Amino acid sequence: MEDIQGLTENVLSNGDVYFGSFKDSLPHGKGKYTWFEGTIYEGDWKDGKMTGKGKIMWPSGATYEGDISGGYLHGFGTFHYSDGSIYNGAWRMNIHHGIGRKLYANLDIYDGSWKEGIPEGCGRYFWSSGNSYIGNWKGGQMCGKGIMKWVNGDHFIGFWLNGLRHGSGVYYFADGAYYFGSWSRGLKDGKGTFYPAGSKPPSMEKWHNFLGYDIDGKGFVSRTLSLNLEKEKAPRHGLKHSLSEKISVTGISSAGGLSNWPTSMDVNWGSSYPTQEASADDDSCVMSHASDQGQNNVPYNDRVVYEREYIQGVLIQERVKDYEELLHKSMEQKKTTVKEAARVSCVNFFENHRSYYLMLNLQLGIRYTVGKITPVPMREVRASDFGKRARIVMYFPRKGSQFTPPHYSIDFHWKDYCPMVFRNLREMFKLNAAEYMMSLCGDNGLRELSSPGKSGSIFYLSQDDRFVIKTLKKSELKVLLKMLPKYYDHVKAHENTLITKFFGLHRITINGRSKVRFVVMGNMFCTELRIHRRYDLKGSTLGRYTHGDKSKDGITLKDLDLSYEFHMDKLLRQSLFKQISLDCMFLESLHIIDYSLLLGVHFRAPEKLKALLEPPATVQNSENLLHDDGESSESEPTIPPKGLILVTHEPSSVTTAPGPHIRGRPLKTDTFGDREVDVLLPGTARFRVQLGVNMPAQASHKLREAQSGSAEVELFEVYDVVLYMGIIDILQEYNVKKKLEHAYKSLRFDPLSISVVEPHLYGTRFKNFLEKVFHDLP
């Protein structure tokens, strides 16, 4: 050991060398540590650990200079990789975490938010080829709202998922054409409108305002990220298993120095490209919209627009419309929306932001109720759990109280009905209390939906789409409370019931007089698959036709709009109608009428796909990885000729997404004998088949005479489909007044509807109608 000008050099038995100052036999202050294999650290030390500012140099040529805490790269610093990549930004425990900028070896650049070493949050990615993406990231992939700009001048503004366009968006072509529509896993999927070059889309500004930036992406990242990284401070506590942890408490260990951890850092942190999973469909810079133009025989001009519908990238319908007609319809819709907004609803006690205050109050109340009931030991429900005293009541003043937190809404009273019953119902459907609260009460809040009916109710959708919250009339609340004991028994006895799943019943009172009642229900359309058609089926012809524009994506159609028959496996159909009969008998016993079957249909690409998509070399493979420049490689279509395949059930292979809260066993099919089955959707996923969920079928399209002169063209007659269904609107109780009203209407307008005057006849007509819709496979 040698002491030179207050500094001490210590040579360890393994060949490591420390040269610097000590405090109580531990490195403290400035010092330099050289590992035997050649790694060097030079910088600050504190109580035997590298803490403060410092520089690390590895034999591979990699270097780090910046903040270090407890032996970790922690704070702000710059890392030069041996392959030429450079990261400059925030670190946490040796991992990129926070705001940072990385220049990759291939000259790609990512500038934005990182989490646990991968891009997540808001950021910008610039490919060396000139393509760029500005928007949200998750798990190292483009996910959320964002804008993609290709070097040829094309843009896409909309939603992304796992690096693929997924959700609604608008594609802007360099020549001035636009396509407003929806995508699924990188392929056009659903309804949309194409505006040729020269026409002016009516709602382009909406998309810019929605995303928070213009077509060049200006202002997005600058408003959400603080790129002044040098101001970030690193915490100095709670760090373990660090580089310098092996220094002995009595001095530098003579057994092995600080370990060989630094040697592998450059290897573990090699240059990975977060966009390798991203892809583009036929609108990418490789393909222009010229391929779309070839799909019809009408010359493009600025007076014509094209309403289209796609299934997994395949065009199945197209309707040519005059631009002035579409613009006029858009203006009429705006006027109608203003008129509807002026109507008095069941929550007219709010003059301003009424729905927002309702949402805040609802979240506060649910968080309080679930938090209070969850610690109670699990037990079977008793008769008293359904009684009038089975309530949780609490007052929420704005300033807070001994039992409630302060909040930004207005003062309100909260009532939770039958909390133990609904807690047990949630348990039946395997809903975790913490996940339930996060879904309904998370920071992202609830999304308000427009009411699909005439009730004036307000609908909310949870941030993850798993739950629907609906305001109730007082009469509907009474019906639900009256039927709750039998409903609980029915759900407990029949795990495959199709009846609406209820998970909570609440009431908010404002100023001691204005009351709003809510029910929390499962969303049966919470699925990884896109629902292309929605139908509300009652088995009646009286008023069962959707007026207005039925081409709007997401609209719920009715009985007379249904132009398909569905052919199912024999055993699947038997299981379905057995449960429908049980559910109808239950509703009849409660004198419930006017319920309906909510049917969702997911279409698969038709079997004629390969004949349609020619030549194959022009079709983008949405599942292939991106090259480093962000462009997709060309290959055969990813969607095989067969839309879906039934396979033997394998629990370890199926997707375990949240789903619509079901608990039944997978179903058996006639094709597979007594074995349970999954449905395999090539290019998408594999799901277990359960009653009302992921049910495979074939849809046969029938062209009605009224459509024969229409400009709308259906390109295919038979589709593979996946069906979702549930019995809804079960809170309309039979009474004499309703009986007389329906009798009068049915006798005068609709002979079929006369059966609605008795609950058991309503159920019979309902089942008879569905038997004409669902058939056995030939």
Side-chain angles (χ1 to χ4, degrees), residues 115-186:
K115 183 179 180 180
E116 302 297 334
I118 54 178
E120 183 155 328
C122 182
R124 303 176 284 200
Y125 196 98
F126 302 93
W127 284 266
S128 58
S129 64
N131 299 335
S132 63
Y133 170 81
I134 302 177
N136 293 311
W137 296 76
K138 186 174 183 180
Q141 295 179 329
M142 298 177 286
C143 195
K145 297 185 292 185
I147 176 171
M148 183 82 180
K149 182 177 180 180
W150 285 271
V151 70
N152 71 340
D154 288 1
H155 301 75
F156 173 77
I157 305 175
F159 287 94
W160 299 76
L161 179 67
N162 297 330
L164 300 171
R165 275 166 277 187
H166 191 87
S168 57
V170 56
Y171 195 98
Y172 169 77
F173 296 91
D175 66 359
Y178 292 82
Y179 177 75
F180 286 82
S182 57
W183 280 257
S184 179
R185 298 177 182 268

Side-chain angles (χ1 to χ4, degrees), residues 665-694:
R665 293 183 58 82
L667 297 180
K668 301 175 182 179
T669 63
D670 188 50
T671 306
F672 283 75
D674 290 334
R675 288 182 295 176
E676 298 171 340
V677 295
D678 298 334
V679 57
L680 177 63
L681 307 177
T684 304
R686 175 173 174 164
F687 302 93
R688 62 176 181 170
V689 178
Q690 293 183 277
L691 199 69
V693 182
N694 300 324

Side-chain angles (χ1 to χ4, degrees), residues 470-581:
K470 176 189 176 184
T471 58
L472 296 178
K473 298 176 182 177
K474 186 176 181 179
S475 59
E476 293 174 321
L477 175 80
K478 290 182 176 179
V479 170
L480 181 52
L481 288 174
K482 181 180 178 181
M483 67 180 288
L484 192 57
K486 291 185 178 181
Y487 172 85
Y488 181 87
D489 292 338
H490 182 78
V491 171
K492 184 178 180 181
H494 303 286
E495 62 180 8
N496 285 319
T497 180
L498 298 174
I499 292 178
T500 304
K501 279 72 173 175
F502 296 116
F503 301 120
L505 186 61
H506 318 289
R507 190 185 77 182
I508 293 173
T509 305
I510 308 295
N511 299 328
R513 60 180 185 275
S514 299
K515 298 178 175 64
V516 186
R517 303 156 188 90
F518 295 92
V519 63
V520 182
M521 305 176 291
N523 177 16
M524 57 173 282
F525 291 155
C526 176
T527 168
E528 287 189 353
L529 302 180
R530 181 178 183 83
I531 304 299
H532 296 98
R533 293 285 192 281
R534 294 171 170 83
Y535 295 95
D536 184 293
L537 305 176
K538 292 183 181 292
S540 172
T541 57
L542 178 62
R544 303 303 296 164
Y545 183 81
T546 303
H547 298 281
D549 184 14
K550 290 185 289 185
S551 65
K552 185 178 179 182
D553 202 11
I555 193 170
T556 301
L557 305 173
K558 298 180 181 179
D559 300 63
L560 294 178
D561 302 310
L562 182 63
S563 58
Y564 297 96
E565 290 182 349
F566 301 100
H567 298 268
M568 309 174 67
D569 179 273
K570 183 178 179 180
L571 287 182
L572 291 183
R573 185 176 181 274
Q574 287 179 359
S575 299
L576 174 65
F577 276 91
K578 179 181 179 181
Q579 188 60 53
I580 288 177
S581 296

Side-chain angles (χ1 to χ4, degrees), residues 372-386:
K372 186 171 183 177
I373 197 68
T374 298
V376 177
M378 189 70 182
R379 61 170 176 80
E380 265 299 331
V381 296
R382 306 162 184 158
S384 58
D385 292 324
F386 298 96

Side-chain angles (χ1 to χ4, degrees), residues 705-723:
E705 293 182 4
Q707 291 180 310
S708 58
S710 174
E712 184 174 338
V713 179
E714 181 77 21
L715 301 181
F716 299 93
E717 295 297 326
V718 180
Y719 299 90
D720 285 336
V721 296
V722 182
L723 303 179

Side-chain angles (χ1 to χ4, degrees), residues 35 39 41 49-52 54-56 58 63-81 87 89-98 102 114-118 234-245 258-270:
W35 281 264
T39 302
Y41 169 75
K49 292 187 177 182
M50 299 182 295
T51 300
K55 182 177 182 180
I56 303 176
W58 286 268
T63 63
Y64 171 81
E65 187 170 4
D67 295 331
I68 298 179
S69 181
Y72 289 99
L73 312 190
H74 193 90
F76 178 85
T78 302
F79 197 104
H80 291 259
Y81 294 86
Y87 173 78
W91 295 78
R92 188 177 75 175
M93 310 287 280
N94 297 336
I95 297 176
H96 309 162
H97 192 92
K102 186 168 184 178
W114 299 74
K115 183 179 180 180
E116 302 297 334
I118 54 178
R236 306 291 185 181
H237 60 278
L239 302 176
K240 299 179 181 179
H241 308 294
S242 66
L243 176 67
S244 55
E245 194 174 47
L258 299 185
S259 86
N260 60 357
W261 167 83
T263 307
S264 60
M265 284 188 65
D266 186 42
V267 177
N268 295 337
W269 301 343

